Amino acid sequence: MTDTIAVPLTDVRVAKLRVAYGARHVLVAGGAGVTPLLSLAYELHRRGAEFELHDFARAREQAAFAGLLEREFGDRVRLRFGGPRAEQPTTVKEVAAELAPDAQVYTCGPEGFMAQVCAVFAPVVGEARVHVEHFVAAEVDTSFDRPFTVELDTGEVFEVPADKSILAVLGENGIEVFKSCEEGICGSCVSGVLEGVPEHRDSCLSAADKAAGDKMALCVSRARTARLKIELY
């Protein structure tokens, strides 16, 4: 039997292309979240990077790729089965306590699990070094969406109606933007914001990026101001 691994192009895959030699990489998976992290583990192994993978599951039979992980990566894998959910924060904190500030952390799993991992590791290594993989886009109330104007740094101006995204409007006008998921998860269409205030609705930018307001995901995010001026990357 061959294990099939389907990995979306998201923050974890983008982050893996920036593997820092000498840094320690910690992969923290919850349930089916081990799937994309398995791909990352292979990449880290190929590059000779130092890493460990912590896989949380209720039981071994519910842990996807448990046997494969052990065969491929040996003692780099920590399989954590059967522990009560209430004990997970303690276990995660124990892992975080061993990390140096330059470590990179990657997590995937249920939203609550990933939020827990981020809350524990971000104070240790910094938010920018904690990378998350989202399975689905966050739900957003679009009932109050309003039209706005978007201007490109080339001078072209377009009206974005309430029921369309910037990405869609640009595409309709023959302007190609690199894209993939079109759900605000992968980060492919992230572009620079030169003027105006974006309304972030994505799951790919960090809280720091969103606070800075100098970039946005064109597929889902909109404008808080009547006009935005953007720069396509």
Side-chain angles (χ1 to χ4, degrees), residues 170-221:
L170 294 180
E172 290 172 357
N173 286 276
I175 297 175
E176 294 187 6
V177 179
F178 185 67
K179 61 185 179 181
S180 181
C181 74
E182 298 186 57
E183 294 184 331
I185 298 175
C186 72
S188 297
C189 67
V190 168
S191 298
V193 177
L194 303 177
E195 296 177 13
V197 180
E199 179 183 329
H200 297 290
R201 297 182 176 182
D202 63 90
S203 299
C204 58
L205 293 178
S206 68
D209 286 333
K210 292 178 180 179
D214 59 357
K215 62 186 68 172
M216 66 185 297
L218 303 185
C219 61
V220 293
S221 296

Side-chain angles (χ1 to χ4, degrees), residues 114-182:
M114 292 193 295
Q116 184 182 98
V117 171
C118 291
V120 171
F121 283 96
V124 178
V125 301
E127 185 180 88
R129 293 178 180 272
V130 181
H131 312 282
V132 298
E133 170 89 5
H134 293 276
F135 280 129
V136 295
E139 292 186 9
V140 176
D141 181 5
T142 61
S143 59
F144 296 101
D145 284 357
R146 296 290 182 268
F148 60 94
T149 301
V150 63
E151 177 185 354
L152 302 186
D153 58 335
T154 54
E156 297 164 283
V157 178
F158 305 99
E159 298 302 318
V160 181
D163 61 346
K164 291 185 179 181
S165 67
I166 298 175
L167 184 66
V169 170
L170 294 180
E172 290 172 357
N173 286 276
I175 297 175
E176 294 187 6
V177 179
F178 185 67
K179 61 185 179 181
S180 181
C181 74
E182 298 186 57

